[in-house]
């Protein structure tokens, strides 16, 4: 009977995992589409801004050629045209950051779910080993505690790994910091 309960629980977990993958895939596709749209609009805005810069330069050079002087040239009309484009560019760049943060958070949640599933599997092995008297209660408690710390300190461990990837700390320092988080 316990076998069927475990099978049912495993099937339920797999189904839930599959739904999460489908939902995540749809959300990722939506974000990718939105990101592509923003990138296209940003590209068009950058082209308009570059054109405005070219007009300012052309106006200045024309004035210098005609007068042989290098005073200020009135380009306020061009700047007025460019001002909303600068603002829109900032808005779009903020949106890009927001979407990328959302995608990163989703990835972290998926990774944390995977770690939680691994930890649960390890705890189930430890439960079985304890029931079979392969390990004692003290060893069991220590190992279960270490496994739970992997989940509890997931974000901190991820940050340590990212510091290593960025070259802020060495691999040895990374391992030492992670070990301290798990003890």
């Amino acid at each position: 009977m316990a076998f069927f309960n475990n099978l049912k629980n495993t099937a339920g977990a797999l189904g839930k995992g599959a739904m999460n993958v489908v939902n995540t895939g749809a959300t990722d596709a939506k974000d990718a589409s939105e990101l592509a749209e923003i990138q296209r609009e940003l590209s068009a805005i950058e082209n308009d801004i570059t054109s405005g810069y070219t007009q300012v330069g052309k106006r200045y050079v024309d004035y210098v050629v005609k007068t042989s002087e290098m005073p200020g040239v009135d380009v306020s009309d061009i700047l007025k045209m460019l001002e909303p484009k600068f603002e829109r560019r900032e808005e779009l760049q903020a949106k890009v950051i927001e979407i990328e943060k959302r995608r990163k958070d989703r990835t972290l949640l998926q990774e944390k779910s995977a770690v939680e599933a691994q930890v649960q599997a390890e705890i189930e092995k430890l439960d079985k080993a304890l029931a079979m008297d392969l390990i004692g209660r003290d060893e069991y408690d220590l190992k279960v505690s270490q496994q739970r710390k992997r989940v509890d300190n997931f974000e901190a461990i991820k940050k340590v790994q990212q510091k290593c990837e960025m070259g802020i700390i060495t691999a040895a320092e990374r391992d030492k910091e992670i070990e301290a988080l798990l003890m």
Side-chain angles (χ1 to χ4, degrees):
M1 188 68 167
F3 171 75
F4 290 112
N5 286 337
N6 285 340
L7 185 61
K8 184 174 111 179
N9 290 341
T10 302
L14 288 175
K16 185 187 263 187
M19 276 308 277
N20 286 342
V21 168
V22 169
N23 290 338
T24 299
T27 305
D28 282 346
K30 180 180 176 248
D31 283 348
S33 172
E34 186 176 358
L35 204 51
E37 179 69 29
I38 290 171
Q39 295 295 355
R40 279 191 294 277
E41 189 173 346
L42 273 172
S43 179
I45 288 171
E46 288 297 331
N47 289 338
D48 290 347
I49 290 172
T50 300
S51 175
Y53 289 158
T54 303
Q55 290 175 28
V56 169
K58 183 177 179 343
R59 191 174 291 176
Y60 185 77
V61 169
D62 288 346
Y63 183 82
V64 170
V65 168
K66 284 181 187 175
T67 63
S68 296
E69 296 176 10
M70 295 186 98
V73 176
D74 183 26
V75 292
S76 60
D77 58 328
I78 296 171
L79 292 176
K80 281 185 182 178
M81 178 199 67
L82 290 177
E83 190 174 320
K85 296 192 183 292
F86 289 136
E87 291 172 2
R88 182 66 179 152
R89 178 175 64 179
E90 287 178 21
E91 289 172 12
L92 291 173
Q93 288 170 337
K95 261 187 166 178
V96 166
I97 290 170
E98 177 186 320
I99 291 169
E100 288 174 351
K101 184 178 182 331
R102 217 174 31 229
R103 292 172 93 178
K104 180 180 171 240
D105 289 346
R106 223 178 5 260
T107 301
L108 280 174
L109 283 174
Q110 288 174 335
E111 290 174 5
K112 187 172 184 177
S113 292
V115 168
E116 287 172 341
Q118 290 171 351
V119 165
Q120 187 58 40
E122 285 298 316
I123 289 175
E124 287 174 7
K125 284 184 202 175
L126 291 169
D127 289 342
K128 187 174 180 179
L130 180 65
M132 295 172 63
D133 289 329
L134 295 175
I135 60 174
R137 178 52 101 176
D138 291 340
E139 183 179 1
Y140 171 84
D141 290 340
L142 176 67
K143 290 186 181 285
V144 166
S145 172
Q146 287 174 337
Q147 290 297 322
R148 288 199 174 123
K149 284 181 182 178
R150 285 180 56 202
V151 174
D152 295 343
N153 295 324
F154 177 80
E155 286 88 7
I157 291 169
K158 203 69 175 153
K159 286 179 182 177
V160 169
Q161 290 171 339
Q162 289 172 341
K163 287 192 310 188
C164 182
E165 289 169 5
M166 293 176 68
I168 297 171
I169 61 173
T170 65
E173 290 171 320
R174 175 200 61 206
D175 295 344
K176 186 176 179 183
E177 286 186 38
I178 290 174
E179 185 179 332
L181 288 168
L182 296 177
M183 289 297 150

